[in-house]
Amino acid sequence: MTDVNAALRRTRIGDRETAQGETERAVRRGAWPVAETPAGRTTGWWGMLLFICTEAAMFACFIASYYYLRFSTDGSWPPVSDKLPHRIVPGIGTGVLVLSCLPMFAAVRTSRKSRAVTFPLLVLVTLAGTTFVVLQAVDYMQEYPSSTPSKDAYGSLLFTLTGLHAFHVGIGVLMMLLVLGGQLARGFKKPQAGATRVMAMYWYFLAVLAVAIYITVYLTPYIM
Amino acid sequence: MTQLTPPRTGTDADIETLSTVADSLEASTRYDVLPERGAAEATVGAALDAEWEEEPGLWGFITTVNHKRIGRRYLVTAGFFFMLAGINALVMRTQLAGPNNSIISPEIYDQLFTMHGTMMIFFFATPFNSGFGNFFLPLMIGTRDMAFPRLNALSYWIFLFSGIFMFTGEAMRVAPDAGWFAYVPLSNEYSPQLNLDFYSLGLLFLAVSSTVGAMNLVITFLKMRAPGMSLNRVPPFVWGIVTQSFMLVFALPPLDLANLMLFLDRRLGMRFFDTAKGGDAVLWQHLFWLFGHPDVYIIVLPAMGIVSSIIPTFSRRSILAYPYVVLATVATGIISFGVWVHHMFAVGLSDVSLTFFSAATLTISVPAGIQMFAWLGTMWRGRVVLSPAMLYAMSFIITFVIGGVTGVMFAVVPFDQQVTDSYFVVAHFHYVLFGGAVMPMLGGLFYWWPKLTGRMTSHKGGVISAVLIFVGFQVTFFPMHIQGLLGMPRRIYTYPAGYGWGTYNLIETIGAYVLAFGFLWTLFVFAQSLLSGPVAPDDPWGGNTLEWATGSPPKAYNFPVIPTVHSLNPLWDGRTLQSMVDHRHDDQRTMTEVHRTLRTSELDGRIERVMSMPGETVQPLLVAAFLTMTVCFLLADIMLAAAVAVGLMGLVIAWWMWNRPEIDEPAP
């Protein structure tokens, strides 16, 4: 018989590590033949993983569509009526988003110990995400006169692919605000380790995606 | 202890070699309540009842997150859409009964066949499977609810509203009319009305529901299985649902992307599919069929899972070659992503891609064959009980094999190019989808009806239903093979006399009415059961899986004591049921405080912790309502209002995320 509340208390903080430890102890006792690792994934962790899977599948199809249309176009890419895309501003945006993974990572590592450190780190990540969205908008103003969403397939791809990604970063920023709000409202007392960890998975995904899209949309027109 | 089978201390392999347990069929019907469940209920039932009691009335109806109520709603709603889409087909068959008919106009005919296909595929077949999955997956794996109960409710409400959205289009006579696969440019520049906006928006709308529903089922399967239910003890039906859900997670994105591009092309003048401006019409076909072919298995795999549930119970033995059945299910799911081009053999792609996809298509018949032999072997080595559910399972085997054989014929490129777009194709996919999905679903309804409603159905009525549906189906669809080989194209509104098609068409129309009568009869059997059927015991068929260890219908908390699963056939091994008695004083297994259930490990089903579940809430309905408003405003081209509705939806989602049960657990 296990006292439920005692078990809950034991597994509340550092849920994953505790479950892992219990598994290892059970193996040492000889109760289980081998440890199942990793143990203690939460339903939220799996939910975010599957969400990332479906999003990744959609962006993979989109990037594949980009190359499909690019290689079924005869002649130059972008078409002669469009100018080559601007590399600098979106490059800075992508760099900022990728670098923001560092404070995100640090936030995850500190979220179980010192939540007062986590908070400013997450604020930094949120600002980086906002910067990315703003720089994307700046890039649209650079591209706009020569390429438009409805001028040709090149323009449709450029604006929609990057726009959809920037929209996702925007959603990520809003989710981040929710996590920050949760920390403020709960007075840094209740643990937010789970939420931070799940949020970080999404953030890394957005950063990887930003690199793939940057290479596809802003660099390949120069080399192909 | 148990009267069902003698208690066994063997391993899964011993249970596998058990010859038959037919005698337990009579024994089990003696009990209204299984003695083990009775003992567990007597100990903790009252406390759980008080904790899990649901709000009565309308408020309870719209706020419930109970997976059983949501599952039943899925079944009823999808069944209703099935009826509407079926009526569309009946009108078409009436129009085609003789040459040169003009009962309906060609424009309406286009809308009818498009709506028939779209509604049957998207709004009946997939959600009907979700209904079974929602109701039975948590019961079969021994838990109390889905991993995300509120998301489950959201998924249902969105499904309901998107279905209503689509049929509103038909009622306004602007339903989609470019075929269920809506090829551009017909669906684009040649369709200026709202028709195809209903299509692209409606399917994007529904995709939200299917995606979150699929994730929910996968995670429930991974994290909520009863202790002891390692992956090699998971029932084949659960494997079918989980494979389908994984496939939805990866197959819906290309469809969503295609519909997004179509919507942007149509409404904002973008050029994805505009060949004059650097776009490509074939891109639509690739994206659509990259979804479309996996979708065939998304529909069929859970239905095969239903067959894998019915056949062991009514053959009175464990399923033959269980690991191969599971591996075949998963393999089908994976291979199905590599065969989409066989829908495009007539488009004019390169010979290399035709050869590759022809070979891949031939490959996919292997896992289907493995499952087929496993079912036949189970029946051969068992003692078959001819219940209505079993008759439906056998109708499935016959019909699906015929559909599979014509499917392999399509993998041969020259043959495909000869019969493409003819009635031969229509015959083929109705054999696969009606035989592969509708028949198992009807079988599943007869099999699980006692669990769904707490009432038994009439045996004779069920047998008549199975015979009527089988005969009606064959008479309707078999002649289409011949008619297709004679050259009748699909999707024509009428045809001239003198081609030799008239007789076949007349026979098919008569068959369609027999089929329709069969469905009316089935409905009558179910209605009669609801009104005056005998009350069902816990385990009327002597079934082998955990859902039969719950009440009929199950209590809100499903299991008073979460059992320890000892084998693939937990109700036949004796020890699993006994564990409900043994653990009835164990707090970790009864969890009488708040809404709680067990979280276990992904592979071996070992206990990780007790987790809290959210209770009733109106949030899912609010989110679905704002999403509906968004879609309607997008259709009406009122962008500002759509943005406001999205904002409101975001606020509700923020409110939702704020109250996560794992955060609101009692402080240490």
Side-chain angles (χ1 to χ4, degrees), chain B residues 191-448:
Chain B
S191 176
Q193 302 295 317
L194 281 180
N195 307 48
L196 267 296
D197 293 325
F198 271 107
Y199 179 89
S200 58
L201 283 174
L203 292 190
L204 279 171
F205 191 10
L206 177 73
V208 179
S209 156
S210 313
T211 307
V212 296
M215 292 177 186
N216 206 347
L217 286 163
V218 169
I219 297 164
T220 308
F221 154 81
L222 285 172
K223 295 304 300 184
M224 319 273 285
R225 302 195 308 275
M229 187 178 274
S230 46
L231 286 187
N232 57 337
R233 291 174 183 167
V234 171
F237 171 75
V238 175
W239 278 112
I241 288 283
V242 168
T243 311
Q244 173 224 26
S245 302
F246 261 113
M247 292 171 71
L248 277 170
V249 166
F250 291 99
L252 279 173
L255 178 74
D256 295 343
L257 180 63
N259 274 314
L260 176 71
M261 287 175 169
L262 180 63
F263 183 76
L264 293 174
D265 267 21
R266 290 174 54 84
R267 283 301 185 81
L268 300 182
M270 293 205 185
R271 308 291 184 181
F272 292 108
F273 304 124
D274 187 347
T275 36
K277 298 281 185 181
D280 193 322
V282 182
L283 177 62
W284 166 271
Q285 300 188 17
H286 280 297
L287 289 173
F288 187 88
W289 289 118
L290 185 51
F291 153 80
H293 198 83
D295 192 57
V296 174
Y297 295 96
I298 283 168
I299 292 166
V300 168
L301 284 178
M304 287 177 160
I306 297 174
V307 173
S308 299
S309 297
I310 294 172
I311 286 185
T313 298
F314 292 115
S315 301
R316 314 306 307 147
R317 62 150 290 145
S318 181
I319 192 161
L320 193 85
Y322 165 80
Y324 297 97
V325 171
V326 173
L327 288 175
T329 305
V330 176
T332 309
I334 294 168
I335 301 173
S336 71
F337 280 90
V339 298
W340 81 90
V341 169
H342 71 219
H343 296 270
M344 301 163 64
F345 279 167
V347 169
L349 302 175
S350 74
D351 287 349
V352 178
S353 66
L354 297 196
T355 314
F356 173 83
F357 284 98
S358 171
T361 307
L362 291 168
T363 314
I364 206 168
S365 57
V366 174
I370 291 172
Q371 295 200 62
M372 206 50 86
F373 283 112
W375 294 317
L376 292 176
T378 309
M379 285 158 63
W380 185 27
R381 302 301 296 168
R383 202 186 295 172
V384 173
V385 181
L386 286 177
S387 68
M390 191 64 179
L391 287 176
Y392 269 114
M394 291 155 103
S395 315
F396 153 81
I397 289 180
I398 296 167
T399 314
F400 193 72
V401 163
I402 300 176
V405 167
T406 52
V408 174
M409 290 159 77
F410 280 117
V412 181
V413 177
F415 180 81
D416 179 280
Q417 289 174 341
Q418 182 66 33
V419 295
T420 191
D421 263 335
S422 77
Y423 261 83
F424 195 85
V425 181
V426 180
H428 160 70
F429 67 68
H430 280 93
Y431 267 78
V432 174
L433 292 177
F434 196 103
V438 180
M439 284 176 178
M441 285 167 180
L442 287 168
L445 277 182
F446 277 102
Y447 180 52
W448 282 315

Side-chain angles (χ1 to χ4, degrees), chain B residues 635-660:
Chain B
L635 182 78
D637 211 9
I638 313 172
M639 294 303 173
L640 191 66
V644 171
V646 169
L648 290 171
M649 186 173 75
L651 287 180
V652 182
I653 292 174
W655 173 33
W656 177 333
M657 302 305 289
W658 202 259
N659 295 306
R660 282 166 304 155

Side-chain angles (χ1 to χ4, degrees), chain B residues 30-96:
Chain B
R30 266 191 264 135
Y31 293 110
D32 284 345
V33 174
L34 290 178
E36 292 85 352
R37 182 174 81 85
E41 295 281 6
T43 314
V44 288
L48 284 165
D49 262 330
E51 189 57 56
W52 287 75
E53 196 193 351
E54 291 185 279
E55 188 106 11
L58 181 67
W59 186 248
F61 183 84
I62 62 175
T63 58
T64 186
V65 294
N66 179 338
H67 74 98
K68 295 171 291 297
R69 291 177 78 179
I70 294 168
R72 274 197 296 259
R73 276 176 207 178
Y74 257 110
L75 293 175
V76 171
T77 313
F80 182 69
F81 291 155
F82 174 79
M83 211 172 71
L84 293 182
I87 291 170
N88 283 352
L90 213 53
V91 176
M92 285 192 285
R93 273 306 346 150
T94 313
Q95 157 71 17
L96 290 172

Side-chain angles (χ1 to χ4, degrees), chain A residues 20-48:
Chain A
Q20 186 91 51
E22 278 176 3
T23 310
E24 280 157 14
R25 277 194 294 282
V27 174
R28 271 202 300 278
R29 278 206 313 275
W32 298 345
V34 282
E36 182 187 336
T37 51
R41 301 282 194 217
T42 61
T43 50
W45 186 92
W46 279 107
M48 183 51 85

Side-chain angles (χ1 to χ4, degrees), chain A residues 177-212:
Chain A
L177 290 177
L178 206 61
V179 173
L180 289 172
Q183 299 212 342
L184 279 178
R186 291 178 173 88
F188 301 102
K189 284 199 185 98
K190 292 213 167 190
Q192 285 273 302
T196 311
R197 186 154 62 108
V198 166
M199 190 61 230
M201 294 164 70
Y202 191 56
W203 204 260
Y204 302 151
F205 165 68
L206 290 174
V208 171
L209 202 54
V211 174

